[in-house]
Amino acid sequence: MLFRRIYQFMIVYVIGVIFLWMIKLSLGLSDYVIPGISLLKDTAEEFGTGYFMDVVNTLSVTVLGQFLSIIMAFTVGIAGRKSSWIGSFIKVTAYNIQAYPIVALAPIIFILLGDGFLSRLLIASMICYFPLLLSVLGIMATPVTDIEHFYIVTGRMRWQLEVKIRAFENLSKLTTVIAGSATLAMAGTIVGEFISANAGIGYSIRIALYQSDMAKILIALFMIGIIISIYQGILESMGEHIKHRWSIVNKGDEL
Amino acid sequence: MKKFMGFILWVLVTLILIVPVSAQASDQVGTDLVYRLKWKFNTSVAGDIYADSNGYFKQKGLKVEVKAGGVGINAIRELELGRAQFGVASADQVIQALEKGADIIVIAQLFQANPLQWIYRSDQPRIKTLQDLKGKRIGVTFGGNDDAIMKTILAKGQLTKTDVKIISVQGNALPFFKKDADLWPVYRNSQGVSYQDKLAREGEGVRFFNPQDFGVSFVANSVITTGKLYKKQPGLVNSFLSALLRAWEDAMTPEHENAVLNAVKQLDGGINDDIRKKQLAATKTLIKPDPDIKIGQIDMGGWEMTESILIKEGLIKKPVKIADRLIQIK
């Protein structure tokens, strides 16, 4: 799965670059607009390793940011699953915060947390958590009537049990959403670094943009793509492993 | 897999067929022109706005659409892609593009003095020599113009990075307002005026550190076009430029001040009239620092120094013979 993800990304990247080169050749554009093969090669040799380390740096924040966003999404999703006043209030608050553009919130975040690691982490989790929240809310607000009915009738239903039943019955959906949200966590971290940080690939892209250096940007995109493919591949493998384990446990229970 | 390869082939063939058509279309330049600015509409581009609003281009038989610039918008790219015929770019952009083979020429230099300066509070000792920078906390945008300029200044003053504390500039001036930074980079005629006004209301005065006063000339915004257009239609380039520079000359005179301020206000209503007036006054000193200086005059020495700074800072690898691409149209 991991290998497939990497070569699929390579195909997409190569098609994208060929597309750009065709435009370059057809319109007779200079290396300033679209870098040619030799410039791209030189830039990769000069900055490739540095950018790789930058992406690894970004990934470390991404992993933490995604973990934080999963916790946030589950907390809000579980608390807001009821159609009570509190549930509705939590949902409205979560939705409204998401509606604010992150660039407008950024100055407040930087006043509170400075321009270091914590700001990047918070912005990454804020961008990543909303799609997770929607899925969690959808799952947690939908009763699994067949199973829940028994516990309700016998008076044994507690909120923890309700959450467990709904999570277990939608495990496949949850693992897919979590694996998919890795891309958003990475994008969120890069946005955070782009707006304000002194490290990470988003910061390097910002510098490359100041210098109008498209070659650097293409190399950065390549590095981001490779690393995120690996990370998503690992998450998907983990998801498969968890599903497999749970199904074994489930079968064991049945026996 | 076969279907996938077929799709890729289809995309490539379509591109081969479509792209040259648009390339050919971009070769045809009539009197309908696009002039792409470097940044958003504000007092810094008062002359450009005035040329459009007061019919200077029309008088020359040209229909020019003046388009604002912004983050991610680059006039040089627009020119190459045929989306604009004229544009505004900073000297470093021009030189870096020339190194990468772009066919662009500079036909006028709008700013005779670079508006990029550093603001500092007047309760601090005045910076009289570069040695006075020692121990200061200085804001710099890593990778930006101010980064290259500050490195040159420090080298000129025989200072190293350990003699000062460099603070990364990231979108807002909070570190300066919180007094975490002593010097902060600003565009003298826009942010410089606003920050000065903001601090004045808090009872604080400011001064500006201008690299040019210490012999570091880094050219700012200039008017550019493609070498191809200039070669094929020099008359069109001349007409455009004479209309533009006449508008700028008029816009910098006291008689036209109210009309200019009104024209700018139509496009940039986000600030109050008093600030806008001060910004226009500051712009005048940068565009026409001396009554004898003709607007648009190209400072060859400044361009050569800019090129040498970019080489020294590793932003370009080899000289681009910049003098060959500076066309001072009479």
Side-chain angles (χ1 to χ4, degrees):
Chain A
M1 191 177 285
L2 189 63
F3 178 69
R4 193 178 64 193
R5 270 207 166 269
I6 292 171
Y7 84 70
Q8 281 176 342
F9 162 72
M10 296 286 259
I11 291 172
V12 172
Y13 185 83
V14 169
I15 290 172
V17 172
I18 290 173
F19 175 83
L20 289 176
W21 282 340
M22 286 179 65
I23 294 172
K24 178 185 169 70
L25 284 174
S26 310
L27 296 178
L29 301 174
S30 71
D31 279 357
Y32 185 72
V33 181
I34 296 171
I37 298 172
S38 67
L39 180 61
L40 209 55
K41 183 179 150 286
D42 292 347
T43 310
E45 281 170 6
E46 197 175 346
F47 296 96
T49 313
Y51 279 10
F52 179 80
M53 296 314 292
D54 286 341
V55 181
V56 170
N57 184 313
T58 300
L59 182 68
S60 62
V61 182
T62 299
V63 174
L64 280 172
Q66 197 187 4
F67 182 69
L68 194 65
S69 66
I70 292 169
I71 293 172
M72 278 161 60
F74 271 85
T75 310
V76 176
I78 291 167
R81 74 190 191 286
K82 298 280 185 194
S83 51
S84 60
W85 187 89
I86 286 287
S88 142
F89 176 77
I90 289 169
K91 268 190 271 186
V92 167
T93 312
Y95 281 44
N96 276 1
I97 288 174
Q98 188 63 30
Y100 299 139
I102 205 74
V103 283
L105 292 176
I108 301 167
I109 294 172
F110 301 133
I111 289 168
L112 297 173
L113 301 172
D115 59 0
F117 169 78
L118 282 177
S119 296
R120 287 160 75 196
L121 185 66
L122 184 62
I123 291 172
S125 13
M126 281 178 74
I127 290 180
C128 173
Y129 104 108
F130 196 66
L132 274 171
L133 172 69
L134 291 180
S135 300
V136 173
L137 272 176
I139 289 166
M140 293 301 162
T142 313
V144 185
T145 325
D146 294 348
I147 303 170
E148 288 178 22
H149 177 71
F150 169 75
Y151 291 101
I152 294 166
V153 169
T154 55
R156 288 158 64 193
M157 180 58 99
R158 291 173 298 126
W159 73 267
Q160 294 96 327
L161 184 61
E162 185 182 274
V163 168
K164 268 187 198 170
I165 292 167
R166 291 176 190 181
F168 181 76
E169 286 301 310
N170 293 283
L171 193 61
S172 181
K173 216 185 275 181
L174 280 173
T175 52
T176 308
V177 171
I178 288 170
S181 71
T183 319
L184 284 168
M186 180 67 114
T189 314
I190 293 171
V191 168
E193 290 166 350
F194 192 87
I195 298 170
S196 177
N198 289 328
I201 196 67
Y203 172 67
S204 298
I205 290 176
R206 188 161 59 117
I207 290 178
L209 282 175
Y210 277 137
Q211 297 166 352
S212 305
D213 197 328
M214 275 297 288
K216 282 185 185 170
I217 290 164
L218 287 177
I219 299 301
L221 294 181
F222 177 78
M223 294 299 175
I224 292 168
I226 283 284
I227 300 284
I228 197 70
S229 300
I230 294 171
Y231 181 47
Q232 273 195 319
I234 292 170
L235 282 178
E236 278 177 357
S237 301
M238 280 168 64
E240 286 299 319
H241 182 70
I242 291 169
K243 272 190 274 181
H244 183 67
R245 285 287 300 266
W246 276 42
S247 67
I248 289 171
V249 171
N250 198 21
K251 276 176 191 165
D253 285 350
E254 280 171 7
L255 289 171
Chain B
M1 192 65 181
K2 266 187 180 177
K3 273 186 181 175
F4 176 71
M5 293 309 289
F7 172 73
I8 298 299
L9 198 69
W10 179 81
V11 170
L12 295 178
V13 170
T14 311
L15 279 172
I16 290 167
L17 293 173
I18 291 170
V19 173
V21 174
S22 56
Q24 212 171 14
S26 69
D27 275 355
Q28 306 299 319
V29 177
T31 50
D32 282 16
L33 305 167
V34 173
Y35 177 41
R36 173 67 81 176
L37 303 180
K38 186 166 183 275
W39 195 241
K40 300 185 191 327
F41 290 122
N42 61 25
T43 325
S44 281
V45 294
D48 301 319
I49 294 171
Y50 200 53
D52 188 25
S53 67
N54 272 44
Y56 286 84
F57 294 125
K58 269 186 201 156
Q59 284 169 23
K60 291 278 179 183
L62 303 172
K63 194 178 167 195
V64 179
E65 186 183 356
V66 180
K67 285 187 170 179
V71 180
I73 297 173
N74 182 311
I76 299 172
R77 291 203 183 110
E78 300 268 299
L79 256 61
E80 279 211 44
L81 291 164
R83 293 176 190 154
Q85 289 68 46
F86 296 93
V88 175
S90 57
D92 60 313
Q93 285 182 321
V94 170
I95 293 169
Q96 285 174 326
L98 287 173
E99 194 205 20
K100 288 176 182 160
D103 174 30
I104 45 165
I105 57 165
V106 174
I107 52 175
Q109 180 182 323
L110 292 175
F111 282 91
Q112 297 303 316
N114 195 328
L116 186 60
Q117 299 177 11
W118 275 261
I119 191 171
Y120 64 101
R121 287 178 171 82
S122 56
D123 60 2
Q124 290 189 18
R126 187 184 287 274
I127 298 166
K128 291 175 186 161
T129 70
L130 294 180
Q131 283 295 314
D132 295 338
L133 290 173
K134 211 169 182 174
K136 300 282 185 204
R137 296 165 300 172
I138 305 171
V140 159
T141 315
F142 293 130
N145 282 348
D146 51 329
D147 189 11
I149 295 172
M150 186 46 74
K151 281 177 183 164
T152 308
I153 288 167
L154 295 178
K156 203 174 165 70
Q158 295 177 321
L159 296 167
T160 62
K161 272 190 175 174
T162 53
D163 291 320
V164 294
K165 189 182 175 200
I166 298 293
I167 294 169
S168 175
V169 170
Q170 293 166 353
N172 60 61
L174 271 177
F176 177 68
F177 290 120
K178 284 166 69 187
K179 296 191 179 179
D180 291 335
D182 300 315
L183 285 96
W184 199 254
V186 289
Y187 283 97
R188 173 68 185 84
N189 55 332
S190 51
Q191 296 155 307
V193 173
S194 305
Y195 294 176
Q196 187 170 20
D197 180 73
K198 192 172 177 173
L199 288 173
R201 278 185 271 127
E202 303 290 324
E204 291 187 283
V206 297
R207 293 195 183 99
F208 291 93
F209 171 73
N210 182 1
Q212 214 160 341
D213 296 340
F214 298 87
V216 177
S217 291
F218 196 95
V219 177
N221 293 357
S222 295
V223 183
I224 55 166
T225 187
T226 61
K228 196 161 110 186
L229 181 63
Y230 183 62
K231 206 173 168 183
K232 281 188 174 176
Q233 291 169 268
L236 180 80
V237 175
N238 282 331
S239 297
F240 172 84
L241 192 64
S242 65
L244 182 71
L245 295 183
R246 221 191 100 212
W248 266 104
E249 287 283 358
D250 287 349
M252 296 296 105
T253 60
E255 305 85 72
H256 291 259
E257 188 175 284
N258 286 335
V260 172
L261 288 169
N262 280 332
V264 174
K265 192 178 179 178
Q266 297 298 315
L267 299 170
D268 176 32
I271 51 167
N272 71 45
D273 294 346
D274 183 45
I275 298 277
R276 193 176 297 108
K277 197 173 177 177
K278 285 177 185 169
Q279 286 182 336
L280 185 62
T283 301
K284 283 178 189 174
T285 64
L286 302 166
I287 296 280
K288 204 173 169 72
D290 190 295
D292 296 335
I293 288 179
K294 211 175 158 200
I295 291 180
Q297 190 173 299
I298 296 175
D299 170 16
M300 298 284 180
W303 276 89
E304 279 161 3
M305 182 180 268
T306 306
E307 185 182 10
S308 67
I309 290 172
L310 294 178
I311 293 173
K312 205 173 172 187
E313 295 307 323
L315 293 169
I316 57 167
K317 291 191 169 66
K318 55 183 191 298
V320 295
K321 293 184 184 170
I322 186 64
D324 296 347
R325 311 300 294 185
L326 307 175
I327 314 288
Q328 184 75 72
I329 296 171
K330 302 288 177 196

